[in-house]
Coordinates of all heavy atoms in Angstrom, one line a residue:
F11 N 232.9 141.8 124.0 CA 234.2 142.1 123.7 C 234.4 141.8 122.2 O 233.7 140.9 121.7 CB 235.2 141.4 124.6 CG 235.1 139.9 124.5 CD1 235.9 139.1 123.6 CD2 234.2 139.2 125.4 CE1 235.8 137.9 123.5 CE2 234.2 137.9 125.3 CZ 235.0 137.1 124.4
Q12 N 235.3 142.5 121.7 CA 235.6 142.3 120.3 C 236.7 141.1 120.3 O 237.5 141.0 121.1 CB 236.3 143.6 119.6 CG 235.3 144.6 119.4 CD 235.9 145.7 118.7 OE1 237.2 145.8 118.3 NE2 235.1 146.8 118.4
M13 N 236.5 140.3 119.1 CA 237.5 139.3 118.8 C 238.8 139.9 118.5 O 239.0 141.0 117.9 CB 237.2 138.5 117.8 CG 237.9 137.3 117.4 SD 237.5 136.3 115.9 CE 235.6 136.4 115.9
N14 N 239.9 139.3 119.0 CA 241.3 139.8 118.8 C 241.7 139.9 117.4 O 242.2 140.7 116.7 CB 242.4 139.2 119.7 CG 242.0 139.5 121.1 OD1 241.7 140.6 121.5 ND2 242.5 138.5 121.9
S15 N 241.6 138.7 116.7 CA 242.0 138.6 115.4 C 241.6 137.2 114.7 O 241.2 136.3 115.4 CB 243.5 138.5 115.3 OG 244.1 137.4 115.9
M16 N 241.4 137.3 113.5 CA 241.2 136.1 112.7 C 242.1 136.1 111.5 O 242.5 137.1 110.9 CB 239.7 136.2 112.1 CG 238.6 136.0 113.1 SD 236.9 135.8 112.5 CE 236.7 136.8 111.0
R17 N 242.6 134.9 111.1 CA 243.5 134.8 110.0 C 243.1 133.7 109.0 O 242.4 132.8 109.3 CB 245.0 134.4 110.6 CG 245.4 135.6 111.6 CD 246.9 135.2 111.8 NE 247.5 136.3 112.4 CZ 247.7 136.6 113.6 NH1 247.3 135.6 114.6 NH2 248.2 137.6 114.3
I18 N 243.5 134.0 107.7 CA 243.2 133.1 106.6 C 244.3 132.0 106.7 O 245.7 132.4 106.9 CB 243.2 133.8 105.4 CG1 242.0 134.8 105.2 CG2 243.1 132.8 104.2 CD1 242.1 135.8 104.1
V19 N 243.9 130.8 106.7 CA 244.9 129.8 106.6 C 244.9 129.0 105.3 O 243.9 128.7 104.9 CB 244.8 128.7 107.8 CG1 245.8 127.5 107.8 CG2 244.7 129.4 109.1
A20 N 246.1 128.8 104.7 CA 246.2 128.1 103.4 C 247.2 127.0 103.3 O 248.2 127.1 104.1 CB 246.4 129.2 102.3
N21 N 247.0 126.0 102.6 CA 247.8 124.9 102.4 C 249.2 125.5 101.9 O 249.1 126.3 101.0 CB 247.2 123.9 101.5 CG 248.0 122.8 101.0 OD1 249.1 123.0 100.4 ND2 247.8 121.6 101.6
K22 N 250.2 125.1 102.5 CA 251.6 125.6 102.0 C 251.8 125.4 100.4 O 252.2 126.4 99.8 CB 252.6 125.0 102.8 CG 254.1 125.6 102.4 CD 255.1 125.0 103.4 CE 256.4 125.6 103.1 NZ 257.5 125.2 104.0
K23 N 251.5 124.3 99.9 CA 251.6 124.0 98.5 C 250.7 124.9 97.7 O 251.2 125.4 96.6 CB 251.5 122.6 98.1 CG 252.5 121.5 98.6 CD 252.2 120.2 98.3 CE 253.3 119.3 98.7 NZ 253.1 117.9 98.4
F24 N 249.5 125.2 98.1 CA 248.7 126.1 97.3 C 249.3 127.5 97.4 O 249.3 128.1 96.3 CB 247.3 126.1 98.1 CG 246.4 127.1 97.6 CD1 245.7 126.9 96.4 CD2 246.4 128.5 98.1 CE1 244.8 127.9 95.8 CE2 245.5 129.5 97.5 CZ 244.8 129.2 96.4
A25 N 249.7 127.9 98.5 CA 250.4 129.3 98.7 C 251.5 129.4 97.7 O 251.7 130.4 97.1 CB 250.7 129.6 100.0
E26 N 252.3 128.3 97.7 CA 253.6 128.5 96.9 C 253.3 128.5 95.4 O 253.8 129.2 94.6 CB 254.5 127.3 97.0 CG 255.2 127.4 98.5 CD 255.9 126.1 99.0 OE1 255.7 125.0 98.1 OE2 256.6 126.1 99.9
K27 N 252.1 127.8 95.0 CA 251.7 127.8 93.6 C 251.0 129.1 93.2 O 250.7 129.3 92.0 CB 251.0 126.6 93.3 CG 251.8 125.2 93.3 CD 250.9 124.1 92.9 CE 251.7 122.8 93.0 NZ 250.9 121.6 92.7
N28 N 250.4 129.8 94.2 CA 249.4 130.9 94.0 C 250.0 132.1 94.8 O 249.4 132.5 95.7 CB 248.1 130.5 94.4 CG 247.5 129.3 93.5 OD1 247.1 129.6 92.4 ND2 247.6 128.2 94.2
P29 N 251.1 132.7 94.4 CA 251.6 133.7 95.1 C 250.6 135.0 95.3 O 250.7 135.6 96.3 CB 252.9 134.2 94.5 CG 252.8 133.7 93.1 CD 251.9 132.4 93.3
A30 N 249.8 135.2 94.3 CA 248.9 136.3 94.4 C 247.9 136.1 95.4 O 247.6 137.0 96.3 CB 248.2 136.6 93.1
A31 N 247.4 134.8 95.5 CA 246.5 134.5 96.6 C 247.1 134.7 97.9 O 246.6 135.1 99.0 CB 245.9 133.1 96.3
A32 N 248.2 134.0 98.0 CA 249.0 134.1 99.4 C 249.3 135.6 99.8 O 249.2 135.8 100.9 CB 250.4 133.5 99.2
K33 N 249.6 136.5 98.9 CA 249.8 137.9 99.2 C 248.4 138.5 99.6 O 248.5 139.2 100.7 CB 250.4 138.6 98.0 CG 250.6 140.0 98.2 CD 251.7 140.3 99.3 CE 252.0 141.8 99.4 NZ 253.0 142.1 100.4
L34 N 247.4 138.2 99.0 CA 246.2 138.7 99.2 C 245.7 138.3 100.7 O 245.3 139.1 101.5 CB 245.0 138.3 98.3 CG 243.7 138.8 98.5 CD1 243.7 140.3 98.3 CD2 242.7 138.3 97.5
F35 N 245.9 137.0 100.9 CA 245.6 136.5 102.2 C 246.4 137.3 103.4 O 246.0 137.4 104.5 CB 245.9 135.1 102.4 CG 245.0 134.2 101.5 CD1 245.4 132.8 101.2 CD2 243.9 134.7 101.0 CE1 244.6 132.0 100.4 CE2 243.1 133.8 100.1 CZ 243.4 132.5 99.9
A36 N 247.6 137.5 103.0 CA 248.5 138.1 104.1 C 248.3 139.7 104.3 O 248.5 140.1 105.4 CB 250.0 138.1 103.7
I37 N 247.6 140.3 103.3 CA 247.5 141.8 103.4 C 246.0 142.2 103.8 O 245.7 143.3 104.2 CB 248.0 142.6 102.3 CG1 247.2 142.1 101.1 CG2 249.4 142.5 102.1 CD1 247.5 143.0 99.8
M38 N 245.1 141.3 103.5 CA 243.6 141.6 103.8 C 243.4 141.8 105.3 O 243.8 141.0 106.1 CB 242.7 140.5 103.3 CG 242.4 140.4 101.8 SD 241.5 139.1 101.2 CE 240.0 139.3 102.3
K39 N 242.7 143.0 105.6 CA 242.3 143.2 107.0 C 240.8 143.7 107.0 O 240.6 144.6 106.3 CB 243.2 144.0 107.7 CG 244.6 143.5 107.9 CD 245.4 144.4 108.8 CE 246.8 144.0 108.7 NZ 247.2 142.8 109.6
L40 N 240.0 143.0 107.7 CA 238.6 143.5 107.7 C 238.4 144.1 109.1 O 238.8 143.4 110.1 CB 237.6 142.4 107.4 CG 237.8 141.7 106.0 CD1 236.7 140.6 105.9 CD2 237.4 142.8 105.0
D41 N 237.7 145.2 109.3 CA 237.2 145.7 110.5 C 236.2 144.7 111.3 O 235.3 144.2 110.4 CB 236.6 147.0 110.3 CG 236.3 147.8 111.5 OD1 235.3 147.3 112.3 OD2 236.9 148.6 111.9
I42 N 236.4 144.4 112.4 CA 235.7 143.5 113.2 C 234.1 144.0 113.2 O 233.1 143.1 113.1 CB 236.0 143.3 114.6 CG1 235.3 142.2 115.3 CG2 235.9 144.6 115.5 CD1 235.7 140.9 114.7
N43 N 233.8 145.2 113.0 CA 232.5 145.7 112.9 C 231.8 145.3 111.6 O 230.6 145.0 111.6 CB 232.4 147.1 113.1 CG 232.7 147.6 114.5 OD1 232.3 146.9 115.6 ND2 233.6 148.6 114.6
D44 N 232.6 145.1 110.5 CA 232.2 144.8 109.2 C 231.8 143.3 109.3 O 230.8 142.8 108.8 CB 233.1 145.0 108.1 CG 233.2 146.4 107.9 OD1 232.4 147.2 108.2 OD2 234.3 146.9 107.3
V45 N 232.6 142.5 110.0 CA 232.4 141.0 110.2 C 231.1 140.8 111.1 O 230.3 140.1 110.7 CB 233.6 140.4 110.8 CG1 233.4 138.9 111.2 CG2 234.9 140.5 110.0
S46 N 231.0 141.6 112.0 CA 229.8 141.5 113.0 C 228.5 141.9 112.1 O 227.5 141.1 112.3 CB 229.9 142.4 114.2 OG 230.9 142.0 115.0
A47 N 228.6 142.9 111.4 CA 227.4 143.2 110.6 C 227.0 142.2 109.7 O 225.8 141.8 109.5 CB 227.7 144.5 109.7
E48 N 228.0 141.5 109.1 CA 227.7 140.4 108.2 C 227.1 139.3 108.9 O 226.1 138.6 108.4 CB 229.0 139.9 107.4 CG 228.9 138.6 106.7 CD 227.9 138.5 105.5 OE1 227.4 139.5 105.1 OE2 227.6 137.4 104.9
N49 N 227.7 139.0 110.0 CA 227.0 137.9 110.9 C 225.7 138.1 111.2 O 224.8 137.1 111.2 CB 228.0 137.6 112.0 CG 229.3 137.0 111.8 OD1 229.4 136.2 110.7 ND2 230.3 137.2 112.6
L50 N 225.3 139.3 111.6 CA 224.0 139.7 112.0 C 223.1 139.6 110.7 O 221.9 139.1 111.0 CB 223.9 141.2 112.4 CG 222.6 141.7 113.0 CD1 222.0 140.8 114.1 CD2 222.7 143.1 113.3
M51 N 223.4 140.0 109.6 CA 222.6 139.8 108.4 C 222.3 138.4 108.2 O 221.1 138.0 107.9 CB 223.3 140.5 107.2 CG 223.2 142.0 107.2 SD 223.9 142.8 105.6 CE 225.6 142.5 105.8
M52 N 223.4 137.6 108.3 CA 223.1 136.1 108.1 C 222.2 135.6 109.2 O 221.3 134.7 108.9 CB 224.5 135.3 108.1 CG 225.3 135.7 106.9 SD 226.9 135.0 107.0 CE 226.6 133.3 107.1
Q53 N 222.3 136.0 110.5 CA 221.5 135.5 111.5 C 220.0 135.9 111.3 O 219.2 135.1 111.6 CB 222.0 136.1 112.8 CG 221.1 135.6 114.2 CD 221.5 136.3 115.4 OE1 222.5 137.3 115.3 NE2 221.2 135.9 116.5
K54 N 219.9 137.1 110.7 CA 218.4 137.6 110.5 C 217.8 136.9 109.2 O 216.8 137.3 108.8 CB 218.5 139.0 110.3 CG 218.7 139.7 111.7 CD 218.6 141.3 111.6 CE 218.7 141.8 113.0 NZ 218.4 143.3 112.9
G55 N 218.5 135.9 108.5 CA 218.0 135.2 107.5 C 218.6 135.4 106.1 O 218.2 134.7 105.1
Q56 N 219.5 136.4 105.9 CA 220.1 136.7 104.6 C 221.4 135.8 104.6 O 222.4 136.3 104.7 CB 220.5 138.2 104.5 CG 219.3 139.1 104.6 CD 219.8 140.5 104.5 OE1 220.8 140.8 104.0 NE2 219.0 141.4 104.9
N57 N 221.2 134.5 104.5 CA 222.3 133.5 104.6 C 222.2 132.6 103.4 O 223.1 131.6 103.4 CB 222.1 132.8 105.9 CG 220.7 132.1 106.1 OD1 220.0 131.9 105.2 ND2 220.5 131.6 107.4
K58 N 221.7 132.9 102.4 CA 221.7 132.2 101.1 C 223.0 132.5 100.4 O 223.4 133.6 100.6 CB 220.5 132.3 100.2 CG 219.1 132.1 101.0 CD 218.8 130.7 101.1 CE 217.4 130.5 101.6 NZ 217.2 130.9 103.0
P59 N 223.5 131.6 99.7 CA 224.7 132.1 98.8 C 224.6 133.4 98.0 O 225.5 134.2 98.1 CB 224.9 130.8 97.8 CG 224.3 129.7 98.6 CD 223.1 130.2 99.4
A60 N 223.3 133.6 97.5 CA 223.1 134.9 96.7 C 223.2 136.1 97.6 O 223.6 137.2 97.4 CB 221.9 134.8 95.9
D61 N 222.7 135.9 98.8 CA 222.8 137.1 99.9 C 224.2 137.3 100.2 O 224.6 138.5 100.4 CB 222.0 136.6 101.2 CG 220.5 136.4 100.9 OD1 219.8 137.1 100.1 OD2 219.9 135.5 101.6
I62 N 224.9 136.3 100.6 CA 226.3 136.4 101.0 C 227.2 137.1 99.9 O 227.9 137.9 100.0 CB 227.0 135.1 101.4 CG1 226.1 134.7 102.7 CG2 228.4 135.2 101.8 CD1 226.4 133.2 102.9
E63 N 226.9 136.7 98.7 CA 227.5 137.4 97.6 C 227.2 138.7 97.4 O 228.1 139.7 97.1 CB 227.2 136.5 96.2 CG 228.0 137.2 95.0 CD 227.9 136.3 93.7 OE1 227.3 135.3 93.7 OE2 228.3 136.8 92.7

Side-chain angles (χ1 to χ4, degrees):
F11 58 92
Q12 291 185 354
M13 185 181 325
N14 289 333
S15 65
M16 292 191 321
R17 293 195 168 96
I18 297 172
V19 178
N21 176 288
K22 186 175 181 177
K23 287 182 182 180
F24 171 86
E26 289 170 352
K27 290 181 181 180
N28 299 280
K33 180 65 173 181
L34 184 64
F35 296 164
I37 61 175
M38 284 178 51
K39 293 188 190 287
L40 298 176
D41 186 285
I42 191 67
N43 293 316
D44 293 337
V45 174
S46 293
E48 167 65 7
N49 288 337
L50 182 60
M51 288 187 284
M52 290 175 55
Q53 180 185 8
K54 289 184 174 182
Q56 296 180 26
N57 54 15
K58 307 283 186 293
D61 296 328
I62 296 166
E63 185 173 347

